[in-house]
Amino acid sequence: MSVAPLINVALLGFGTVGSAVARRLLDRSGGNKAIALTHIFDRRAAEKAESPAGLALASRPPVAWTSSFEDILVSDVDIVVEAVGGVDPAVDWARRALAAGKSVVTANKQLVALHGPELWALAARQGRQFRFEAAVGGAMPIVRAVAEGLTGDSITQIVAILNGTTNAVLSQMEATGCSLSDAVTDARARGYAEEDPRADLDGDDARAKLAILSALAFGVRVAPDQIPSRSAARVEAGDFTTARGRRGTIRQLAYAAYDRERSTLSAWVAPVVVARDSLFGRAVGPQNVAVLTGKHSGDVGIFGTGAGGDATAVAIIGDVASIARDRAAIVPAPRLTSDFRLHNPDHEIFELAEAV
Amino acid sequence: MSVAPLINVALLGFGTVGSAVARRLLDRSGGNKAIALTHIFDRRAAEKAESPAGLALASRPPVAWTSSFEDILVSDVDIVVEAVGGVDPAVDWARRALAAGKSVVTANKQLVALHGPELWALAARQGRQFRFEAAVGGAMPIVRAVAEGLTGDSITQIVAILNGTTNAVLSQMEATGCSLSDAVTDARARGYAEEDPRADLDGDDARAKLAILSALAFGVRVAPDQIPSRSAARVEAGDFTTARGRRGTIRQLAYAAYDRERSTLSAWVAPVVVARDSLFGRAVGPQNVAVLTGKHSGDVGIFGTGAGGDATAVAIIGDVASIARDRAAIVPAPRLTSDFRLHNPDHEIFELAEAV
């Protein structure tokens, strides 16, 4: 019993994440015949189509390769998966895809941190969706938990480890007593760190993710570079010895708390001493953890491996599936014209806490 | 700037959970004007409407109280929240609401464990939704994590603490060395246990929740009473002493693993010795924890307080909001007639592992 494909997906970018998404979309043995990958856009489409990863797709039902974004806009695709990275021209493509009546899925944390509220407002006006589970925490479904599961609560605080690279480096220093540079070398060897891990250690990556979570949880808008941070690049082996004397260890934490009464956001990213046997102290390797405090539900936590192409692809496919499923829960005509989540993009009053 | 209410909600049952949901729906200061509670059905509607909780709602825009379920069916409500409990007549009401074109939200774990696949298939045929986040894990958004966030993965194993009452009892025995009956008395005093906690200690509650998670994660159908269990009611203070000698403690775990190659499900609920410093050993009081193992995303965990009227209400509101949001992501006409999640209700081949 086969069901004709009903939901057409276009992929922008055929790199590590894009090819993993393509593989997973074409390899869904679970019976989900309702989602079809029909278009792949890549600047080097001709070359990518002939690459081993591209050829591996070629035996399947037709996938149209193109190096023109216009082809995607005028196509009948329902969902555009943005896996190009960078803010420009990704933000322009996301806008134009939404304006053309397509839903958009992305793993691009800088894009979402800087332009998320605009894009989800545009999506709502268009009666479409803008989803970005993969932008925070890899396969750990925290965006969904904050934006949907806890919508009925009032979240007051987020404490989290949001950067897997830094966590792998710090937990390696803790375990072996090695220097930061040796730990970085080790993390690179294990595939947990890029050649240049500064954006991770300095906190830029975690700040972008914290900005996204703050927008979702508190309805406030904060630019990543407004969040005070201290770099983990200056942590030394001796700092762990000192921390150990206090039964502690060191982790890069991202913290945000919102006081609704006073419209005040306190937020920071920094390496801090945490109890060794705490949830955060026990997170080792590239793990991510987040604890959300809700007024009614108390502490809700979530953890998982921070990243990796396959984990990112899982998160993206989950978003694609959620959008496709919305089409099953359809009512005859659009009646709702505004995003009704508890976000309020206009409510930008916030005040930064002292840097720690 | 006020937006006219567009999504009408009916509540079935005005007990602890129902009144908490009503309060939360009417008290959403976050600007969500798009959801309106318009009907409350209760067998004792007249009496409940005059109760303090009922009167507290009366000053708000019109809520129609009724003791006739037919009134709900013929009304213009879009979403029916079932907070009556019990399998009958709740299952019949859920069926009839879906058949009448309404989406259904429930916290009723027995209803979902026994009739979930039938109801979500019916919902899909009707182009509506059947959601039940609150049926497992209180406000901890695990249903959403399994059914949506990890849809793109292939989940192979679930290990979890799913019953807050039993966890409160066992962790109290661990902490104080007291007897089970003293721990039960303490749990009752703290509001963590019902007058008769047998369904909790014996594992019936956890079995129903595990059956739900198995259906979502593996696409298999297993009745709660087919899952082997051992009661925690026979755990004695001395068992903790023995466990402590092995650096362990005792927790009621729910376990399910699915071998897709051989279509074999292994599942059980039992009090088992776990390492004291493991995630499970460290769960105290009414906490719930679940660790899901995915083929691509590795271990993803989630934890939170298991239950309570307010936490349950948070989960229900999250479901209502997700359904309402689907209406914002609408396409002109229904085209999708089958549920495309990785569930396959027809695939009922499974084999039980030996009881442990």
Side-chain angles (χ1 to χ4, degrees), chain A residues 24 148 152 277 282 325-326 332, chain B residues 24 148 152 277 282 326 332:
Chain A
R24 299 283 306 139
E148 299 177 34
D277 68 351
R282 293 159 57 87
R325 193 161 73 115
D326 284 358
Chain B
R24 298 285 304 142
E148 299 177 35
D277 69 351
R282 294 160 56 88
D326 284 358

Side-chain angles (χ1 to χ4, degrees), chain B residues 175-201:
Chain B
T176 65
C178 72
S179 68
L180 185 114
S181 68
D182 284 352
V184 167
T185 304
D186 179 81
R188 271 197 210 102
R190 291 171 194 262
Y192 300 157
E194 308 274 336
E195 191 48 40
D196 179 359
R198 273 179 299 181
D200 298 301
L201 294 171

